[in-house]
Amino acid sequence: MNLDHLPEDCFAHILSFTSPGDVCRCSLVSWSFHTMVDLDSVWEKFLPSDHAEILSRLVCPITYSSNKELFIKLCSPNLIDGGKKMFSIEKSTRKKCYMLSARDVSITWACNPLYWTWRPLLQSRFAEVAELRTIWWLEICGTINTQMLSPKTVYGAYLIAKLADRAYGFDSLPSEVSLEVGNFKSQGTVYLSTRHDQSRKQVAAAADLDHEHFSKRIRASRWRVLEGDHGGGLCERKDGWMEVEIGSFYNEGCANNDVKMSLKEVKGAHLKGGLIVEGIEIRPKI
């Protein structure tokens, strides 16, 4: 059968099972494909089913002349809900991504200027960030409803932050991270200190250098110590921020549950300061 003879609605239905990248590549097959891949009926399949509601929440309205153009613009982060959240579509998967700003999460004692300060930051996508002055009780919590997310998708939640030059107190004890949705709950620990990560790498490098000088028993013992240390660290991003994974979960899409995410360090009595919080990002895991 000549593909050029396919009815338009049939063609659009077939392409809806592919990806935006595949659709663009199909335009090279023939001239008929080239004209059909730009159809609104094709790109409507790639837009979230609630895209009209999302558009109504945009801080800056989007102008577009086609569903393809709308999809492309929604792939870039857009402020919603009065600038407290960020929304985007992941281009390769068509899944929805959100970021809760520091103002949209709960930070214990964030309203007290003795402990936290709010200020604009050029590198941030939001109007302001929260910077920790000094505190011993660190607790950051965020919530998002599963109905806002794409169904049948594995999501990861990440604290987006950075450490100021004056940062201190984060290498003494690990912070506890937890994620809870419905009957599912995950927990873990992570160090919010790059110095801790560097020390771990130095120990690992030393273990490699000692390969020729120590017995297998000693080396095995050393690696058991390293593997038993479940503290992680901040992962550097391309945008200059750091992120730490709070947890991950599978969103079936049929339930109406709140995803509760938290990071806290409340066991140590020592002071901490210099943590700059941009927010919590919820995005699909590939």
Side-chain angles (χ1 to χ4, degrees):
M1 176 182 178
N2 191 330
L3 293 178
D4 292 345
H5 297 160
L6 280 175
E8 180 179 305
D9 58 344
C10 179
F11 187 80
H13 183 69
I14 292 173
L15 289 181
S16 69
F17 292 99
T18 66
S19 68
D22 292 331
V23 168
C24 293
R25 284 186 285 272
C26 284
S27 65
L28 303 176
V29 174
S30 68
W31 176 250
S32 298
F33 271 46
H34 182 76
T35 56
M36 295 182 73
V37 295
D38 287 335
L39 292 172
D40 275 354
S41 55
V42 173
W43 287 89
E44 185 177 8
K45 305 291 185 179
F46 298 145
L47 291 170
S49 58
D50 60 345
H51 67 272
E53 189 266 338
I54 292 172
L55 290 176
S56 69
R57 297 160 59 190
L58 291 176
V59 172
C60 298
I62 290 177
T63 58
Y64 57 95
S65 58
S66 65
N67 283 338
K68 179 181 180 181
E69 185 180 5
L70 175 59
F71 176 86
I72 293 173
K73 289 190 175 183
L74 288 179
C75 286
S76 297
N78 291 273
L79 288 171
I80 63 173
D81 296 349
K84 291 185 177 181
K85 291 187 184 72
M86 190 84 69
F87 170 83
S88 64
I89 299 174
E90 192 174 71
K91 184 179 296 185
S92 59
T93 63
R94 302 177 287 167
K95 306 295 187 178
K96 294 188 283 186
C97 309
Y98 284 91
M99 183 168 177
L100 315 180
S101 69
R103 281 292 188 189
D104 206 39
V105 301
S106 173
I107 303 176
T108 302
W109 292 323
C111 59
N112 192 323
L114 292 176
Y115 305 127
W116 291 86
T117 181
W118 293 88
R119 64 183 182 89
L121 189 66
L122 184 61
Q123 298 91 339
S124 176
R125 290 162 287 186
F126 297 104
E128 56 185 352
V129 297
E131 181 170 354
L132 177 59
R133 300 187 67 181
T134 185
I135 208 169
W136 72 272
W137 185 289
L138 175 64
E139 186 171 17
I140 303 170
C141 304
T143 303
I144 191 169
N145 192 274
T146 54
Q147 294 295 302
M148 295 174 60
L149 305 173
S150 297
K152 302 187 183 303
T153 303
V154 177
Y155 274 95
Y158 307 84
L159 175 72
I160 310 302
K162 63 173 58 182
L163 295 173
D165 293 337
R166 66 172 188 86
Y168 60 92
F170 294 106
D171 52 357
S172 299
L173 289 174
S175 297
E176 299 174 358
V177 292
S178 68
L179 185 148
E180 184 176 356
V181 51
N183 295 323
F184 171 79
K185 184 174 184 179
S186 67
Q187 294 176 302
T189 59
V190 61
Y191 275 90
L192 298 182
S193 171
T194 55
R195 288 193 297 272
H196 179 76
D197 286 343
Q198 291 168 359
S199 65
R200 284 166 56 88
K201 292 176 182 178
Q202 290 170 358
V203 172
D208 289 338
L209 291 175
D210 290 342
H211 179 78
E212 298 297 328
H213 305 288
F214 295 92
S215 67
K216 291 182 180 180
R217 180 177 299 178
I218 294 175
R219 291 201 308 272
S221 175
R222 179 174 300 174
W223 283 113
R224 279 199 297 272
V225 172
L226 288 174
E227 291 172 357
D229 182 1
H230 298 294
L234 291 172
C235 176
E236 188 173 357
R237 293 160 52 108
K238 294 180 180 180
D239 58 7
W241 288 88
M242 310 288 280
E243 70 179 28
V244 57
E245 184 171 358
I246 297 174
S248 58
F249 64 99
Y250 178 71
N251 182 36
E252 179 67 36
C254 55
N256 184 359
N257 293 317
D258 283 337
V259 182
K260 301 175 182 178
M261 307 155 285
S262 72
L263 179 146
K264 61 182 180 180
E265 200 286 274
V266 299
K267 294 181 178 179
H270 62 285
L271 293 176
K272 298 169 280 288
L275 179 68
I276 303 173
V277 179
E278 187 183 30
I280 296 178
E281 187 173 83
I282 303 96
R283 65 174 189 263
K285 297 190 72 173
I286 300 177

